[in-house]
């Protein structure tokens, strides 16, 4: 039976299976997904072809893929409401990426901040895949006629590119793509390292500055205890003068689902010590509940969900691809 689109507007997002997701990625992107299922037709993808733009151990790819599916589910994504699937299960993604590679300009891709950062120091041996990565991301988005793309701050530029490519293609060949828009959190779109509030908390930096969603609870405690703070002793959100405390307040607010104003009020007259002790509790409670959900899901279930998702995602993808190929003169 064909999957019935319940809501008119379409949401698409994805994460690479290249390691464990941390609380930054959770707050910036994944935590938005569960709510969106109630209002939109949602597709959540495990983007494995994106993962291989940097060297991966082949035997790890499946492991990280299943972990990521379970992570989506533990964060409240419901396979009865949303489509969860693996990018490589639909060849239409890479096919459209190739076509869009011929629409994208070198100048478009040379502007991409993430490429500049990731290729730093690699010079001529950086993969071409890493360079055209944003085009594959545009294909993911445009193939499913996406309206809304929830992501963290670092992906906003890539969604802009998807918009530009959609408009350019539509102008040149005829209207086929919806023009997508990114949804980036006002506060929380860029969670910073616990060790350096000027550096993004990231998968690649798995040290004391980064807490994974599947982190050992005692380790997570230690990381909060060791988190750097600013000078002074007041718990105040002030990104310019108190970047470290502002980051911790943002984490506190999202993981406890309380507003920053409310938290600031609670800590009026108190110091960093009290605040960090409570933040430790907030993080531990959050991680424990998350991991409890996670551990309920088996690899077998995750695989089944991907299989069902593949069938559902295929329909729209093929529809778009057939139209695109016809427009460019390929049967
Ligand atoms: P990654 O973990 O880099 O594969 O990113 C997965 C998703 O999480 C993307 O939408 C990112 O924009 C988002 N993200 C990653 N790191 C952070 C961070 N430190 N703060 C907020 N969002 C993030
Ligand atoms: N590039 C994104 C990241 O690194 C992952 C991604 C791939 C994505 N395709 C996407 C995100 C489509 C949103 C929509 O996090």
């Amino acid at each position: 039976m064909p999957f019935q689109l319940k809501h008119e507007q379409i949401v698409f997002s994805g994460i690479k299976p290249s390691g464990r997701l941390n609380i930054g990625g959770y707050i910036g992107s994944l935590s938005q997904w569960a709510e969106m299922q109630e209002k939109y037709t949602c597709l959540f993808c495990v983007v494995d072809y994106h993962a291989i733009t940097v060297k991966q151990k082949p035997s790890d790819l499946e492991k990280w893929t299943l972990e990521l599916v379970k992570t989506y589910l533990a964060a409240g994504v419901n396979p009865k409401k949303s489509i969860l699937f693996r990018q490589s299960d639909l060849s239409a993604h890479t096919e459209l990426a190739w076509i869009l590679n011929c629409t994208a300009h070198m100048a478009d891709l040379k502007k991409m901040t993430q490429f500049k950062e990731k290729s730093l120091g690699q010079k001529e041996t950086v993969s071409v895949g890493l360079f055209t990565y944003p085009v594959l991301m545009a294909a993911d988005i445009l193939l499913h006629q996406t309206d809304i793309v929830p992501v963290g701050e670092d992906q906003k530029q890539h969604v802009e590119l998807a918009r530009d490519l959609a408009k350019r293609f539509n102008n040149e060949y005829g209207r086929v793509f919806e023009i997508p828009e990114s949804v980036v959190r006002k506060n929380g779109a860029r969670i910073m390292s616990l060790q350096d509030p000027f550096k993004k908390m990231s998968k690649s930096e798995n040290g004391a500055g980064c807490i994974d969603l599947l982190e050992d609870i005692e380790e997570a405690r230690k990381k909060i205890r060791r988190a750097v703070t600013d000078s002074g002793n007041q718990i105040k959100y002030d990104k310019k003068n108190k970047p470290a405390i502002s980051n911790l307040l943002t984490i506190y607010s999202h993981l406890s689902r309380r507003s920053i104003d409310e938290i600031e009020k609670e800590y009026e007259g108190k110091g960093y010590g009290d605040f960090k002790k409570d933040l430790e509790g907030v993080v531990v409670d959050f991680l424990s509940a998350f991991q409890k959900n996670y551990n309920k899901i088996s690899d077998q279930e995750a695989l089944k969900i991907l299989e069902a998702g593949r069938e559902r995602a295929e329909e729209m993808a093929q529809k778009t691809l057939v139209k695109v190929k016809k427009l460019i003169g390929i049967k």
Side-chain angles (χ1 to χ4, degrees), residues 290-309:
F290 184 88
Q291 292 174 11
K292 201 169 148 209
N293 283 342
Y294 179 95
N295 288 325
K296 281 190 207 145
I297 312 152
S298 71
D299 286 355
Q300 232 45 37
E301 276 172 86
L303 276 170
K304 264 201 203 141
I305 287 167
L306 284 180
E307 186 51 34

Side-chain angles (χ1 to χ4, degrees), residues 211 215-226:
I211 297 180
E215 183 99 34
D216 175 80
I217 299 291
E218 285 315 307
E219 270 307 304
R221 276 188 194 285
K222 275 190 219 152
K223 289 183 182 180
I224 295 293
R225 261 180 243 153
R226 284 194 220 127

Side-chain angles (χ1 to χ4, degrees), residues 141-241:
I141 295 168
L142 302 181
L143 193 59
H144 298 276
Q145 304 294 346
T146 304
D147 298 287
I148 297 164
V149 189
V151 280
E153 175 73 37
D154 61 339
Q155 298 301 317
K156 215 171 143 183
Q157 194 185 29
H158 292 162
V159 181
E160 281 301 314
L161 176 78
R163 286 171 66 84
D164 291 345
L165 295 183
K167 286 182 197 160
R168 197 178 294 161
F169 190 97
N170 284 353
N171 278 339
E172 204 166 331
Y173 295 103
R175 197 180 151 72
V176 57
F177 295 126
E178 209 45 65
I179 312 298
E181 246 175 74
S182 59
V183 170
V184 173
R185 282 197 185 283
K186 263 210 192 90
N187 183 27
R190 192 171 167 84
I191 297 295
M192 309 311 274
S193 159
L194 301 175
Q195 288 298 314
D196 179 354
F198 299 103
K199 229 172 94 189
K200 194 186 79 157
M201 183 182 283
S202 90
K203 253 179 207 170
S204 48
E205 176 246 351
N206 254 349
C210 174
I211 297 180
D212 288 338
L213 288 171
L214 300 179
E215 183 99 34
D216 175 80
I217 299 291
E218 285 315 307
E219 270 307 304
R221 276 188 194 285
K222 275 190 219 152
K223 289 183 182 180
I224 295 293
R225 261 180 243 153
R226 284 194 220 127
V228 298
T229 49
D230 310 292
S231 54
N233 202 24
Q234 226 191 348
I235 314 303
K236 188 111 199 72
Y237 187 91
D238 176 352
K239 243 175 158 171
K240 193 159 163 254
N241 299 307

